Amino acid sequence: MMVRKWVAWLILATMFLTLALPAGQTAGAAGGIRIVLDGKTIASDAAPYIIPAANVTMVPLRIISEELGATVRWNQKEQQVTIQGGADKLIVMKRGGRFALVNDSRVDLDATVDLKAGRTMVPLRFVGETLGLNVNWNQKEQLITLTTEGNGEPSQPSSGADGDPASGGQPSEGNPGNLPGGDVPSGGDTPGKALRGVWVSTVYNLDWPSQGSYGKSLKQMEEFRQLLDDIQEIGMNAVFVQVRPASDALYPSLLVPWSKYLTGVQGLAPDYDPLAFMIDETHKRGMEFHAWFNPFRASVDAKIEQLTNGHVVKRQPEWIVNAGGKLYINPGIPEARQHIMNTIMEVVNGYNIDGVHLDDYFYPTNVEFADNHTFQAYNSDKVVSKADWRRGNINAFVRDLGAAIHAVKPKVRYGISPFGVWRNQSVDKTGSDTKAGVTTYDSMYADVRTWIRQGWVDYINPQIYWSMSFSAARYDKLVDWWVQEVKGTGVDLYIGHAPYKLGTKEAGWQSAQEIINQLKYNERYPEVKGDVFFSAKDIRKNPLGIKDALRSYYRSF
């Protein structure tokens, strides 16, 4: 959105920056971050700070207006900052947004506008460099040096362990703590800028909320805040929260009942909106919030007496298949697929999410799925093979959902986390060098290759839950295979990791170094854009010291 009329920085300062710190307290006080512009120390009534997960230094908007001579505006209703500076540069950023507009061109951000203690905070390096400044960070001195064109080199250049000599002592965007000596892993984006996420399971109250918090909103809120703080301190910058665990909702919905994992009783409303709360807390920390949906799971068991009358199992029993004692929505029925899409779009339309995430809950594996009648009734194309027909049903769902999401919110990321093996080479020569007993194509009828090649998804996040020494499905071989699948397609690749296996007897999981070795292996491929860990509780429990191992690994960037 373009802002046509500008107001002077004095008006902004009067409206939003009237509160001051005690006399004499400036940026850098008490050992904090100092800012120097062309040799002059800049005083600030709000201390700059670093967002650890994104490695971005945030400063008050007042610094931009007063010291850099830019015209700025804060739109409270839109939660939007507009900055107009030299060289006809116009920057527009929204609180919680993942990108900025610079003269109408989109630029992705590692962190964006935030509000702290009544101050509007903005990412310094991005704004400064966009306005034509040189920005230098000295880690040892906790010093940011800004120089305008024609004022020479920074007065205190960084070198060695304090900066990256390969870039003239100026760290890369959003990375105030470079690698000693300037080492950068081979491949594309450095892991310091990649997505680092965790899955947060709500089904069975696995990760959040606890059963002890049923009906206690303040306790649930504090538990989630602590969860975010814990994983961000390790180095994570995204959460994938299960908001539809079993055809229910962790938000007020017109289509599905409240989840029992909030209050202990399905359909019983809490006294707050958990989804709105979680998104707000996540964005406050500069992290991404991805809404995770189990698409076709209707219920974790077949005890329909525990379901409310508003649940899909009771409202549309003809859509439901009991497979192995669990209830599924039949993917072969077009109206059923549309219902699931509608529930997801309810969230897309109503909440400021960063992404829509689906797991591998399509057709169930290793159980009989009674859909002969559906195959006959909904097969207008006369597909001979039921397996191909099933894959067609899932393809239609994946394609149509992606189109619906991007029609409404093009910037919302849409991705799927399939089982880690597409097909074995023994069945398909283009498959992976694996001997998996279950495959996504033949067991779950999920034709991931088609989703990638057709560009129906923004990213794919295979669950590669095996070690480098597990002969039937080696981690490294599977990463190699998935990299080749996405290469040149524009579809990003995130890798799903299994810290929940640490300390088990399965080959390779006797040390936390297994996870670190996997992350290091990913560094060789620019196609690997990030990593997601299952799940939050399994990292927070710190099996075999994985928290320290991850913290050390991520802080090295």
Side-chain angles (χ1 to χ4, degrees):
M1 180 184 302
M2 298 296 295
V3 179
R4 301 180 183 276
K5 297 181 180 179
W6 313 106
V7 292
W9 68 264
L10 182 59
I11 297 176
L12 178 80
T14 302
M15 293 178 62
F16 300 103
L17 304 172
T18 54
L19 298 177
L21 295 177
Q25 184 169 340
T26 64
I33 298 170
R34 294 184 297 126
I35 302 176
V36 174
L37 172 63
D38 291 335
K40 172 189 173 184
T41 298
I42 298 176
S44 173
D45 60 359
Y49 61 91
I50 293 174
I51 298 177
N55 284 329
V56 173
T57 304
M58 305 292 288
V59 298
L61 189 58
R62 177 174 179 174
I63 286 180
I64 306 302
S65 62
E66 289 189 16
E67 305 296 342
L68 306 187
T71 302
V72 297
R73 180 180 177 184
W74 167 252
N75 185 316
Q76 177 69 18
K77 181 178 180 181
E78 297 288 338
Q79 295 280 287
Q80 177 173 281
V81 166
T82 305
I83 303 170
Q84 188 174 36
D88 295 323
K89 286 295 178 67
L90 179 66
I91 306 170
V92 181
M93 295 182 290
K94 295 190 72 168
R95 186 184 182 199
R98 299 175 61 246
F99 64 92
L101 294 178
V102 179
N103 292 353
D104 288 335
S105 295
R106 169 176 165 158
V107 178
D108 290 337
L109 297 173
D110 291 317
T112 187
V113 181
D114 196 6
L115 298 179
K116 289 288 185 180
R119 305 303 194 273
T120 304
M121 311 294 287
V122 296
L124 176 61
R125 177 173 292 279
F126 166 72
V127 174
E129 292 186 346
T130 301
L131 297 180
L133 295 175
N134 294 313
V135 183
N136 185 271
W137 165 255
N138 188 309
Q139 172 75 14
K140 183 177 180 180
E141 300 293 333
Q142 291 286 286
L143 173 67
I144 298 169
T145 306
L146 309 175
T147 55
T148 56
E149 186 175 353
N151 279 303
E153 292 301 316
S155 58
Q156 299 186 47
S158 299
S159 60
D162 296 331
D164 184 352
S167 62
Q170 297 181 27
S172 61
E173 162 62 22
N175 186 5
N178 286 309
L179 283 165
D183 293 334
V184 177
S186 60
D189 294 343
T190 70
K193 297 178 70 174
L195 181 138
R196 305 187 295 273
V198 297
W199 278 290
V200 179
S201 296
T202 58
V203 68
Y204 304 116
N205 300 104
L206 291 176
D207 290 312
W208 180 88
S210 69
Q211 290 187 4
S213 73
Y214 281 168
K216 302 174 183 178
S217 58
L218 293 180
K219 182 175 176 59
Q220 289 180 358
M221 291 178 185
E222 184 55 35
E223 286 178 354
F224 191 75
R225 290 190 188 102
Q226 190 61 56
L227 184 155
L228 289 178
D229 290 343
D230 288 349
I231 63 171
Q232 186 175 50
E233 194 274 334
I234 296 168
M236 302 301 161
N237 59 21
V239 287
F240 293 72
V241 180
Q242 191 177 33
V243 301
R244 173 191 166 86
S247 292
D248 48 14
L250 271 71
Y251 50 90
S253 171
L254 298 176
L255 302 172
V256 295
W258 280 101
S259 175
K260 72 175 183 179
Y261 301 116
L262 291 167
T263 62
V265 179
Q266 188 177 88
L268 179 60
D271 60 0
Y272 74 116
D273 183 340
L275 181 53
F277 164 78
M278 290 189 290
I279 293 171
D280 184 55
E281 288 295 322
T282 303
H283 287 167
K284 281 181 182 178
R285 292 162 174 77
M287 303 172 72
E288 293 184 11
F289 187 97
H290 295 252
W292 163 21
F293 298 84
N294 289 100
F296 292 94
R297 177 160 64 192
S299 181
V300 296
D301 53 41
K303 300 176 182 178
I304 62 174
E305 66 277 4
Q306 298 180 1
L307 304 177
T308 69
N309 290 333
H311 194 276
V312 66
V313 170
K314 291 189 174 180
R315 293 180 63 181
Q316 302 288 348
E318 68 279 10
W319 292 355
I320 305 304
V321 176
N322 185 329
K326 298 180 180 181
L327 303 182
Y328 296 82
I329 297 175
N330 192 337
I333 300 175
E335 294 84 356
R337 297 196 300 267
Q338 185 62 51
H339 163 76
I340 298 171
M341 287 176 53
N342 292 345
T343 65
I344 295 173
M345 292 306 299
E346 191 176 35
V347 172
V348 173
N349 286 309
Y351 293 89
N352 183 28
I353 59 174
D354 298 294
V356 168
H357 180 80
L358 306 183
D359 57 20
D360 55 356
Y361 249 84
F362 300 112
Y363 284 92
T365 62
N366 297 323
V367 293
E368 178 68 23
F369 194 83
D371 61 351
N372 285 335
H373 175 75
T374 310
F375 179 41
Q376 296 172 1
Y378 297 97
N379 188 9
S380 58
D381 293 334
K382 306 299 181 185
V383 178
V384 175
S385 165
K386 183 192 282 189
D388 288 339
W389 172 78
R390 285 178 173 176
R391 279 185 284 270
N393 296 330
I394 302 302
N395 282 350
F397 175 76
V398 169
R399 178 196 65 218
D400 295 347
L401 176 58
I405 292 169
H406 290 140
V408 174
K409 293 186 178 179
K411 307 308 179 185
V412 168
R413 299 277 286 169
Y414 170 48
I416 299 177
S417 181
F419 183 74
V421 178
W422 179 69
R423 297 191 93 184
N424 296 314
Q425 278 184 356
S426 59
V427 175
D428 186 327
K429 64 181 181 180
T430 68
S432 55
D433 182 14
T434 51
K435 298 178 181 177
V438 171
T439 64
T440 185
Y441 183 89
D442 296 296
S443 305
M444 300 169 185
Y445 305 97
D447 186 6
V448 183
R449 173 175 284 173
T450 293
W451 309 345
I452 294 171
R453 292 183 176 179
Q454 294 297 324
W456 294 340
V457 293
D458 296 311
Y459 69 85
I460 205 74
N461 182 195
Q463 302 167 32
I464 308 183
Y465 290 170
W466 305 282
S467 71
M468 297 232 191
S469 54
F470 186 71
S471 59
R474 271 177 42 184
Y475 175 89
D476 50 344
K477 289 186 176 182
L478 282 164
V479 170
D480 295 346
W481 187 89
W482 284 102
V483 163
Q484 294 305 313
E485 285 298 299
V486 303
K487 188 183 292 289
T489 65
V491 174
D492 290 339
L493 176 62
Y494 304 147
I495 302 298
H497 298 269
Y500 74 91
K501 285 190 174 181
L502 288 170
T504 66
K505 295 181 179 180
E506 185 176 304
W509 296 104
Q510 287 68 53
S511 168
Q513 189 61 34
E514 173 64 34
I515 295 284
I516 304 305
N517 291 342
Q518 293 179 2
L519 296 175
K520 290 180 177 179
Y521 189 82
N522 294 352
E523 291 174 19
R524 67 184 63 194
Y525 289 120
E527 288 80 10
V528 178
K529 302 296 186 181
D531 303 277
V532 188
F533 299 87
F534 188 84
S535 64
K537 65 179 174 55
D538 299 292
I539 290 180
R540 297 175 77 195
K541 288 179 180 178
N542 198 27
L544 305 182
I546 186 60
K547 288 173 64 175
D548 290 338
L550 286 172
R551 185 185 300 111
S552 177
Y553 174 79
Y554 286 130
R555 287 185 177 177
S556 68
F557 296 98

